[in-house]
Amino acid sequence: MFVKVLISFSRLGKLIVMGHSFSDKDESKEPDIASLSYSHHNTENARYVYKVGFPPKRNFIAEITDRVKETFFADDPLHRYKDQPRSRKLMLGLQYFFPILEWGRHYNLGKFKGDLIAGLTIASLCIPQDIGYAKLANLDPQYGLYSSFVPPLIYSVMGSSKDLAIGPVAVVSLLLGTLLQNELDPVKDKEEYRRLAFTATFFAGITQAALGFLRLGFLIEFLSHAAIVGFMAGAAITIALQQLKGFLGIQKFTKKTDIISVMRSVWGSAQHGWNWQTIIIGATFLAFLLFAKYIGKKRKNLFWVSAIAPLLSVIISTFFVYITRADKHGVQIVKKIEKGLNPSSIHQIHFTGSYAAKGFRIGVVAGMIGLTEAIAIGRTFAAMKDYQLDGNKEMFALGTMNTIGSMASCYVATGSFSRSAVNFMSGCNTTVSNMVMSSVVLLTLVLITPLFKYTPNAILSSIIISAVIGLIDYEAAYLIWKVDKLDFIACMGAFFGVVFESVEIGLLIAVSISLAKILLQVTRPRTALLGNLPRTTVYRNIEQYPEATKVPGVLIVRVDSAIYFSNSNYVKERILRWLRDEEEQLKAKNLPRIDFLIVEMSPVTDIDTSGIHALEELCKSLQKRNVQLGLANPGPVVIDKLRLANFTELIGQDNIFLTVGEAVMAFAPKPLQDA
């Protein structure tokens, strides 16, 4: 008799022998909380089994506190302050907002050598890029350099990423320029346009800092990876098309960014003739830049070739234009870059009025895109060096640097992928590399900006085109297509929205499709029919495991989502549809009807009142069909709510089981024994 009992226990996947608990390795889910009370589910063949346990009662305040803590303080930022004296807490608090106070104590000459080389390398890349990116934002060239001087210094003190290189980037520059020119003409209203740019930058910084301080960083996760891939690719093509003006030497060019308007403007200008000298300069140096980038990718130790290629191109092309006076033959040049340090712009920011509202709207959009790009880049390189990046801290640092930058004639700056990659490859150790880069930009502003007077616009266009090509990640798009077709729709929606309409429309499409996907997954959760894997007590999806067999007279359905008001009615109707379809198949084959329906609730992490009401309606519908409802392995949150709503009394506590195997044993013990 004792042996028979042991065999019965092994089939259930749980047994108790001499006070010890043994688990079947094939059992997929373990209960969250279990009690050692006994239950007789079958009077003819009584067995000792675990019953579903209830979590301890908690008061409302404690529950809300835990929920808020897990939502906003999941990383437990205050753990470092526990059991610390007050003076130590103050220092730890300062180190949190100013990480330089922590790593600066251990800084040495060896680390500085790596940071110095990295800083000089990214400076050679950023100077020509900044001049070009300022034109994307419809600002004078010096404002691009200003934005690579002050913001990197602020970030060096407050940022926690060792590899992020700060400055203007192509996508944010284009987005800012597009949104600003919809409000003001950058040529006719130049001064007011500049003031609106500083206002937008100020509110972009305030938005970023507020998101970090209030720990709302999870909001930027609503823009999915697929949507970002499509948006970046579309923006890259749009930016490249915009550079055809400088690349071909076109005098009059459309202000629109969509591909149709741009190509119409390009072919329309062909009637008046393109400047062949400009085309030669642009094509020659674009080929050189692409070749240098190819060399850098093929030979990792030659990464510096692609890094210094832009500055080298500027020097050579500027010298060539100067000695040949090509500007007299239609080659457009930069003409003038203001010399000197960043002038104060506090008095130019609109803090109230209609322009403040416009600046706020533009700044929020630009700030969110800047955050998304910077944090994605920072986390990528942090994973390579195996250190953690605090997203909320990064947001606060980025927001502070843009807020201060807006008062020093800077426009929105963020992390640049191309410069960060060069920074990483150059062997940077800390944010001191940003300080070195900022110092080089300072020397450039003070000493050598007049030398850029004869720099051809064509070379700046070539530099921008070569830089944005890397934003077109066709391999990621192909992977998205293979993995998730809905994600691919989001990717292509964002891409075509940017290319054929505008940057802001593409962004809107990206966000809309990402939210639509979330709503679709929430309102239409997956359900599955489960079958028994032969010679086990394991139950799995019969589509995934064709060898899994259905239990005669029992229908087992798994719900793969929390049950909320948004999907509760669908879950109920989908379960009833499973039952109806199964009964029709059994009737056609003259097989016994379904007498029991088991709902596997392991994946159901939560349930609300609408979900409970749907289960009550399901129970009543099944009673009319003479079908008994059973629940398997509800989690602690779910079972507690079911008890509070008296649903456990409605269904009967004997019909709530720890595992699907126990439920089947109670409802149909003979088929399980035969298996």
Side-chain angles (χ1 to χ4, degrees):
M1 181 63 184
F2 184 73
V3 174
K4 290 182 179 180
V5 172
L6 287 181
I7 294 173
S8 299
F9 276 138
S10 64
R11 285 176 176 163
L12 288 172
K14 277 289 183 183
L15 57 105
I16 305 174
V17 177
M18 298 178 66
H20 296 279
S21 176
F22 297 85
S23 297
D24 190 332
K25 292 182 180 180
D26 289 332
E27 193 65 29
S28 61
K29 292 285 185 179
E30 291 297 328
D32 296 286
I33 300 176
S35 66
L36 295 179
S37 60
Y38 298 128
S39 173
H40 294 277
H41 287 304
N42 191 304
T43 57
E44 296 180 0
N45 192 12
R47 294 176 174 84
Y48 294 117
V49 296
Y50 284 110
K51 290 186 65 177
V52 173
F54 294 95
K57 291 184 178 181
R58 305 184 63 195
N59 62 56
F60 176 75
I61 299 298
E63 186 175 349
I64 293 298
T65 301
D66 283 353
R67 182 65 62 88
V68 171
K69 181 180 178 180
E70 195 60 31
T71 301
F72 298 101
F73 305 97
D75 55 346
D76 193 16
L78 300 179
H79 74 280
R80 56 164 62 189
Y81 302 102
K82 294 178 181 177
D83 302 324
Q84 296 287 345
R86 182 174 299 179
S87 58
R88 179 62 178 163
K89 288 181 179 179
L90 176 61
M91 177 56 67
L92 290 173
L94 291 173
Q95 288 177 1
Y96 180 82
F97 289 104
F98 304 98
I100 192 173
L101 296 176
E102 183 176 1
W103 57 260
R105 294 177 300 170
H106 311 290
Y107 197 73
N108 53 45
L109 184 60
K111 292 181 179 180
F112 178 70
K113 290 179 180 178
D115 289 333
L116 178 63
I117 295 173
L120 293 174
T121 307
I122 57 177
S124 66
L125 177 62
C126 84
I127 292 172
Q129 283 186 348
D130 291 343
I131 296 173
Y133 292 160
K135 288 184 174 293
L136 280 178
N138 300 314
L139 294 168
D140 291 334
Q142 65 267 17
Y143 293 102
L145 295 173
Y146 292 161
S147 302
S148 276
F149 170 49
V150 173
L153 287 178
I154 305 299
Y155 183 83
S156 298
V157 176
M158 302 186 66
S160 56
S161 173
K162 303 175 184 178
D163 308 282
L164 202 64
I166 298 298
V169 297
V171 174
V172 176
S173 298
L174 175 67
L175 177 63
L176 191 66
T178 302
L179 295 176
L180 289 173
Q181 73 177 6
N182 290 339
E183 304 295 337
L184 291 168
D185 190 307
V187 178
K188 295 180 180 179
D189 302 309
K190 187 174 182 178
E191 183 176 350
E192 200 59 46
Y193 179 93
R194 186 169 60 247
R195 293 188 64 186
L196 187 59
F198 297 150
T199 303
T201 302
F202 173 80
F203 285 112
I206 293 295
T207 301
Q208 293 172 333
L211 288 175
F213 185 78
L214 299 176
R215 307 189 69 79
L216 297 175
F218 60 86
L219 293 178
I220 67 172
E221 305 295 340
F222 281 100
L223 196 59
S224 68
H225 171 70
I228 292 174
V229 169
F231 176 78
M232 289 295 186
I237 291 177
T238 300
I239 292 168
L241 291 174
Q242 289 285 306
Q243 300 314 303
L244 292 177
K245 176 183 179 181
F247 194 85
L248 301 175
I250 300 173
Q251 296 289 338
K252 294 183 179 180
F253 200 72
T254 180
K255 293 182 180 179
K256 297 182 179 179
T257 60
D258 63 283
I259 188 171
I260 296 175
S261 299
V262 170
M263 296 313 297
R264 186 182 292 126
S265 180
V266 169
W267 293 118
S269 64
Q271 299 175 355
H272 307 287
W274 298 335
N275 187 273
W276 65 267
Q277 295 99 326
T278 300
I279 296 175
I280 291 176
I281 293 173
T284 301
F285 284 100
L286 178 59
F288 169 68
L289 291 168
L290 294 177
F291 178 72
K293 183 173 288 189
Y294 174 79
I295 293 295
K297 285 185 177 180
K298 283 294 183 180
R299 301 286 298 274
K300 297 298 183 182
N301 59 328
L302 296 178
F303 68 91
W304 54 270
V305 174
S306 60
I308 67 170
L311 184 59
L312 192 62
S313 300
V314 168
I315 294 172
I316 296 174
S317 62
T318 301
F319 180 72
F320 173 79
V321 171
Y322 177 74
I323 63 173
T324 61
R325 298 314 305 264
D327 56 309
K328 301 292 185 181
H329 303 282
V331 175
Q332 298 178 27
I333 58 176
V334 173
K335 292 183 180 179
K336 185 180 180 181
I337 300 180
E338 291 289 342
K339 184 179 179 181
L341 296 178
N342 302 34
S344 172
S345 56
I346 300 177
H347 60 285
Q348 298 187 46
I349 298 175
H350 294 283
F351 294 103
T352 58
S354 60
Y355 281 119
K358 293 176 181 178
F360 175 77
R361 186 180 69 253
I362 296 170
V364 168
V365 176
M368 293 291 280
I369 293 298
L371 274 184
T372 303
E373 186 171 358
I375 292 177
I377 295 168
R379 285 175 176 170
T380 298
F381 291 106
M384 292 181 181
K385 287 188 176 180
D386 193 26
Y387 66 89
Q388 296 296 320
L389 196 67
D390 188 332
N392 290 297
K393 186 191 296 186
E394 283 295 285
M395 291 179 194
F396 188 77
L398 292 166
T400 303
M401 78 177 191
N402 277 317
T403 302
I404 297 175
S406 68
M407 302 176 186
S409 299
C410 304
Y411 74 94
V412 182
T414 187
S416 165
F417 181 79
S418 59
R419 275 173 264 178
S420 297
V422 170
N423 198 29
F424 175 83
M425 295 295 293
S426 301
C428 68
N429 295 301
T430 66
T431 55
V432 170
S433 61
N434 276 290
M435 295 184 183
V436 174
M437 178 194 71
S438 181
S439 301
V440 175
V441 173
L442 168 64
L443 294 175
T444 302
L445 285 167
V446 173
L447 301 176
I448 64 175
T449 49
L451 299 181
F452 290 105
K453 177 180 179 180
Y454 290 97
T455 300
N457 289 337
I459 194 62
L460 300 178
S461 297
S462 299
I463 290 171
I464 293 175
I465 292 173
S466 66
V468 299
I469 285 177
L471 297 178
I472 305 175
D473 195 346
Y474 60 89
E475 292 181 353
Y478 178 64
L479 180 62
I480 292 170
W481 162 257
K482 289 196 302 181
V483 173
D484 193 324
K485 301 299 186 290
L486 193 59
D487 263 355
F488 185 75
I489 292 175
C491 179
M492 290 297 99
F495 174 78
F496 288 119
V498 173
V499 172
F500 287 99
E501 189 58 38
S502 64
V503 176
E504 59 267 35
I505 293 298
L507 181 61
L508 179 62
I509 292 174
V511 174
S512 300
I513 294 179
S514 297
L515 291 176
K517 181 184 176 183
I518 295 174
L519 291 176
L520 182 61
Q521 291 175 337
V522 170
T523 58
R524 294 295 182 266
R526 295 182 184 276
T527 58
L529 284 183
L530 304 186
N532 175 244
L533 293 177
R535 297 178 298 279
T536 72
T537 57
V538 177
Y539 291 80
R540 290 291 182 269
N541 188 337
I542 58 176
E543 290 186 0
Q544 184 179 2
Y545 298 91
E547 66 272 21
T549 57
K550 298 177 183 177
V551 179
V554 180
L555 182 68
I556 309 170
V557 180
R558 187 182 68 216
V559 180
D560 293 333
S561 169
I563 305 177
Y564 293 128
F565 67 93
S566 57
N567 61 22
S568 58
N569 193 55
Y570 169 79
V571 170
K572 179 196 70 176
E573 293 179 351
R574 188 67 185 94
I575 293 174
L576 291 174
R577 191 159 16 119
W578 279 121
L579 178 62
R580 183 195 65 203
D581 294 344
E582 190 70 15
E583 287 179 336
E584 290 178 354
Q585 293 178 16
L586 294 174
K587 186 176 181 181
K589 298 177 182 179
N590 293 321
L591 295 174
R593 65 184 297 274
I594 298 295
D595 294 315
F596 307 98
L597 188 147
I598 301 170
V599 180
E600 159 69 302
M601 302 191 71
S602 298
V604 181
T605 56
D606 201 357
I607 191 170
D608 64 2
T609 53
S610 297
I612 296 173
H613 183 64
L615 289 182
E616 292 173 348
E617 292 181 345
L618 174 64
C619 186
K620 294 176 183 178
S621 297
L622 294 177
Q623 287 175 353
K624 294 178 181 179
R625 293 174 169 82
N626 293 320
V627 177
Q628 176 62 53
L629 175 65
L631 304 181
N633 195 24
V637 175
V638 174
I639 191 63
D640 192 41
K641 291 184 177 181
L642 293 179
R643 178 185 61 179
L644 294 174
N646 295 322
F647 181 79
T648 55
E649 301 298 329
L650 174 65
I651 191 178
Q653 292 192 12
D654 285 344
N655 293 314
I656 302 177
F657 305 90
L658 195 64
T659 66
V660 174
E662 290 183 4
V664 172
M665 179 65 73
F667 286 153
K670 189 175 185 301
L672 183 60
Q673 291 173 354
D674 294 340

